[in-house]
Amino acid sequence: MSITTPPKAGGATRPPGEPAPSVPIKAIKLRHPWRMVFAILLVVVFVSIVVDAALRPAYDWPAVGKYLFDRRISQAAVVTLQLTVYSMVIAIVLGVILAVMRLSPNPVVKSLAWFYLWIFRGTPVYVQLTIWGLISLIYSSIDIGIPFMDPWVSFSTNAALSTFTIAIIGLALNEAAYMAEIVRAGLLAVDSGQEEAATALGMSWSQTMTRVILPQSMRVIIPPTGNEVISMLKTTSLVTAVPFSFELFTRSRDISAETFNPIPLLIVASIWYLFFTSILMVGQYFLEKRFARGVGDRQPDRKDAVGTGTGTLTGVVPVIGSGQPSVIAPPRENDPPANPGGVK
Amino acid sequence: MTDVNTQAGASVTIPPMVLAEQVSKSFGSNEVLKSISLEVKRGEVMCLVGPSGSGKSTFLRCINHLEVLSAGRLSVDGELIGYRETNGKLYEMAPKEASRQRRDIGMVFQRFNLFPHMTALENVMEAPIRVKGLPKAQVERSALDLLARVGLAERADYYPAHLSGGQQQRVAIARALAMEPKLMLFDEPTSALDPELVGEVLDVMKGLAKSGMTMIVVTHEMGFAKEVADSLVFMDGGVVVEAGDPDEILTNPQHRRTQAFLSKVL
């Protein structure tokens, strides 16, 4: 029972001053029998649900197969994508504007942005979409000109705004309120030293924003924005409130109203939604990787950086660019000396 | 002020690089700077020392208008900072004018504040391209020269996260020099560094001082102050307690507060 004595075999040949080689641990592994039991139980439950679903006539799988690539459904899928992309693009632009307004030193600008958020975050999107649908009752014509004078141009609201346009406006204005908060959090997450450094270099406010602050805040903004896009894809199913009926969910409901067989069509719609959200998740992965440049990945060599986990970073990192030398690559063999000669 | 007799015999006044007259700064009711009057000549290296909270950094930040003065006047190279004086009246400067003044004043921060999403080279190139609008190829050449000057030519394509603290601070110095400033401000440039990395940054600063750059350095490195500084200012509680020749002050401090401070740091 001697713990400190090194094995005899290596002792004789070891040069003096070198530490004794450590002895590998040989121990019997701790067993986790319950893990196996739970795993088997869960697999059994899962498989039985799947088998049951496959055999249950109410799901009517042949009908699912028949309608999955039905022309009306695939067209509706395209419309759903259009609604998502258009309203999200408008929402992001508007969200950036609102976020910058909320950080403005001007109290009027700040309050206006706050008021917008209060209204659009404080009421349900379904109610908002319904109100947008009734917009022509509230404003029968759209007039462009000087207030209280004869307008230069005047449109009938019904003629100017299709239900598709109204659906996009409704979704975008609601989403902008959420995007504003996400962008604001991203801007605030950038270390204040960054703005100072840019200012000290003589950069203007807009240069500081576009070149220094926004690119860095992207890292914080993108993960929640990805969630918002996925959420928006699903929220498009509410535009039936406008009423706009050419997107995936309403279309599949309309078809099942003819066939009196709603369940397979709901499954068809769900499969399409899942397909799109899966694609969006892959896109988000690559976007996050792109904006993680210079942060987190320890290897300067791009090839080595793959798999170090930068792309999978989905949490929100509160402070970036603080200049802390916390992430330092270990010195490599071919490193040049720290300061060859300094300034001459 | 320095009076120089030109060949024609007329006396021309060359303004000092920095002239602070009764500069005060308050944050709310907290008076951080109390009537500071200082003069930094061209080519002079001035070290500002003192306990933390003595107002050294605030004073430095006032010089490039990162902080707005509460009272007094501050001018760099004869030009009033942050204000324009017309017919005896002061007008606050538009951000654009303030930016123009800052271009000529380089600043190095305690925490480096490099842009983490840009490589070392891109950090150095950013301001000359965006602010001065110089052509990219020309800027890249001089940026590589600057990086070589601070001993980091091999690290041009590294992101700040892949550089040690000392290397980051040297890139930050190169970034400030890229704007060809007439005055460099250093705000505790070595305080956030591991002890073994301090030397490489100080070496770069010594080289810069030798090249004739006017520098104001807030530091706790008394060795650097003794070796490089032309003048030393000891601040405490927002006032200048003692100012003069570094050797004199460090070896034979006159004021009790200076003595107390130096006994702790030396």
Side-chain angles (χ1 to χ4, degrees):
Chain A
M1 276 301 286
S2 91
I3 298 164
T4 48
T5 311
K8 295 247 159 63
T13 52
R14 212 170 55 239
E18 196 170 290
S22 59
V23 185
I25 294 172
K26 280 187 200 140
I28 292 157
K29 285 223 165 181
L30 183 62
R31 294 190 187 278
H32 303 278
W34 287 106
R35 277 191 196 168
M36 204 38 118
V37 172
F38 275 123
I40 291 170
L41 204 68
L42 284 173
V43 169
V44 167
V45 170
F46 180 73
V47 168
S48 55
I49 289 175
V50 169
V51 170
D52 175 76
L55 300 175
R56 206 165 272 272
Y59 285 117
D60 199 355
W61 293 106
V64 171
K66 184 180 154 201
Y67 285 106
L68 188 55
F69 297 106
D70 186 287
R71 213 179 134 70
R72 288 168 292 177
I73 290 291
S74 50
Q75 278 172 345
V78 171
V79 172
T80 291
L81 264 192
Q82 285 176 326
L83 283 173
T84 308
V85 171
Y86 296 157
S87 46
M88 225 32 230
V89 168
I90 298 172
I92 289 171
V93 172
L94 212 55
V96 172
I97 295 171
L98 283 166
V100 173
M101 280 171 74
R102 283 207 73 184
L103 298 172
S104 158
N106 184 334
V108 176
V109 172
K110 209 179 198 162
S111 320
L112 256 173
W114 180 87
F115 183 75
Y116 182 97
L117 260 69
W118 181 63
I119 295 286
F120 281 90
R121 283 207 308 174
T123 55
V125 64
Y126 195 78
V127 174
Q128 287 174 28
L129 286 166
T130 313
I131 293 174
W132 282 109
L134 300 174
I135 192 83
S136 64
L137 289 184
I138 309 169
Y139 306 100
S140 57
S141 68
I142 300 168
D143 302 336
I144 298 169
I146 301 163
F148 309 112
M149 289 176 67
D150 281 337
W152 303 327
V153 211
S154 178
F155 305 98
S156 148
T157 306
N158 271 331
L161 301 175
S162 66
T163 49
F164 181 66
T165 316
I166 290 175
I168 288 174
I169 294 175
L171 290 172
L173 294 195
N174 176 259
E175 182 58 33
Y178 292 92
M179 281 309 302
E181 285 299 87
I182 290 172
V183 174
R184 190 172 71 108
L187 296 178
L188 292 177
V190 179
D191 186 67
S192 61
Q194 292 291 308
E195 190 181 348
E196 249 170 35
T199 308
L201 284 166
M203 291 170 81
S204 69
W205 181 85
S206 62
Q207 283 172 333
T208 304
M209 266 298 165
T210 53
R211 296 290 306 170
V212 177
I213 310 290
L214 272 174
Q216 291 182 58
S217 57
M218 281 304 200
R219 242 181 82 244
V220 177
I221 291 173
I222 283 173
T225 303
N227 291 342
E228 291 299 310
V229 176
I230 288 168
S231 161
M232 174 62 89
L233 185 85
K234 296 177 291 179
T235 310
T236 55
S237 62
L238 296 182
V239 297
T240 180
V242 169
F244 177 78
S245 57
F246 293 99
E247 49 68 48
L248 209 42
F249 176 64
T250 319
R251 202 87 186 113
S252 59
R253 295 285 287 181
D254 288 351
I255 295 171
S256 61
E258 292 165 18
T259 61
F260 301 108
N261 193 8
I263 291 165
L265 277 151
L266 289 175
I267 293 174
V268 166
S270 301
I271 290 173
W272 276 99
Y273 282 123
L274 261 179
F275 172 68
F276 287 139
T277 48
S278 310
I279 292 178
L280 289 172
M281 284 162 82
V282 174
Q284 183 178 354
Y285 170 83
F286 284 105
L287 262 183
E288 280 178 27
K289 250 185 122 112
R290 168 90 177 85
F291 282 100
R293 245 176 333 165
V295 210
D297 52 331
R298 282 151 196 264
Q299 249 61 42
D301 188 349
R302 296 288 99 195
K303 273 183 222 150
D304 294 356
V306 176
T308 50
T310 51
T312 51
L313 178 80
T314 46
V316 172
V317 181
V319 174
I320 48 184
S322 60
Q324 272 279 69
S326 52
V327 193
I328 297 166
R332 297 180 307 172
E333 294 301 313
N334 55 354
D335 271 3
N339 183 17
V343 172
K344 286 282 128 64
Chain B
M1 300 264 171
T2 319
D3 288 328
V4 175
N5 289 316
T6 60
Q7 281 169 337
S11 176
V12 179
T13 310
I14 294 181
M17 189 52 91
V18 178
L19 181 65
E21 298 164 284
Q22 285 96 45
V23 166
S24 298
K25 170 69 185 172
S26 308
F27 294 102
S29 59
N30 180 20
E31 201 175 19
V32 182
L33 293 178
K34 296 166 191 163
S35 196
I36 303 276
S37 294
L38 280 178
E39 191 183 314
V40 184
K41 295 187 201 69
R42 269 152 216 284
E44 181 179 336
V45 176
M46 176 185 276
C47 278
L48 279 177
V49 299
S52 57
S54 58
K56 315 171 300 260
S57 291
T58 307
F59 177 68
L60 208 64
R61 292 159 60 82
C62 285
I63 296 175
N64 68 353
H65 208 49
L66 282 179
E67 302 286 356
V68 179
L69 303 189
S70 309
R73 293 162 68 94
L74 190 59
S75 54
V76 171
D77 204 8
E79 198 180 338
L80 209 56
I81 287 292
Y83 299 91
R84 194 163 33 81
E85 192 170 31
T86 314
N87 301 328
K89 269 190 184 165
L90 286 183
Y91 296 88
E92 205 178 332
M93 258 185 193
K96 209 175 167 181
E97 285 174 90
S99 291
R100 185 187 51 75
Q101 289 185 328
R102 289 192 188 104
R103 280 182 209 184
D104 298 332
I105 304 171
M107 181 143 185
V108 174
F109 299 87
Q110 181 179 357
R111 318 251 333 249
F112 329 134
N113 296 349
L114 287 179
F115 305 135
H117 58 303
M118 300 181 191
T119 62
L121 183 65
E122 286 166 349
N123 263 284
V124 179
M125 289 170 64
E126 183 65 16
I129 290 178
R130 305 284 153 188
V131 179
K132 283 189 169 172
L134 297 175
K136 203 177 163 200
Q138 178 194 332
V139 172
E140 186 169 347
R141 265 199 310 280
S142 47
L144 284 170
D145 284 348
L146 275 170
L147 283 175
R149 207 175 144 194
V150 297
L152 288 172
E154 320 249 322
R155 290 282 193 264
D157 293 325
Y158 280 53
Y159 284 99
H162 305 137
L163 299 171
S164 73
Q167 291 170 332
Q168 287 190 54
Q169 192 61 296
R170 286 186 280 149
V171 173
I173 293 171
R175 177 175 71 173
L177 290 176
M179 291 299 281
E180 296 175 328
K182 52 190 176 193
L183 168 68
M184 283 285 284
L185 309 175
F186 293 84
D187 190 2
E188 302 199 25
T190 56
S191 298
L193 296 177
D194 291 338
E196 79 270 24
L197 301 176
V198 168
E200 60 187 73
V201 172
L202 291 182
D203 282 346
V204 168
M205 291 168 61
K206 280 176 202 164
L208 197 57
K210 257 182 225 152
S211 74
M213 176 66 76
T214 313
M215 293 161 62
I216 305 180
V217 185
V218 172
T219 188
H220 295 295
E221 297 291 330
M222 296 304 155
F224 175 82
K226 194 166 187 170
E227 187 185 338
V228 181
D230 301 306
S231 60
L232 189 122
V233 173
F234 175 73
M235 281 176 74
D236 191 11
V239 295
V240 173
V241 175
E242 206 163 328
D245 182 63
D247 277 328
E248 200 110 312
I249 293 178
L250 289 173
T251 50
N252 187 20
Q254 298 299 311
H255 202 283
R256 198 166 37 79
R257 279 195 279 180
T258 319
Q259 290 162 0
F261 176 74
L262 290 177
S263 70
K264 280 181 209 146
V265 297
L266 282 181

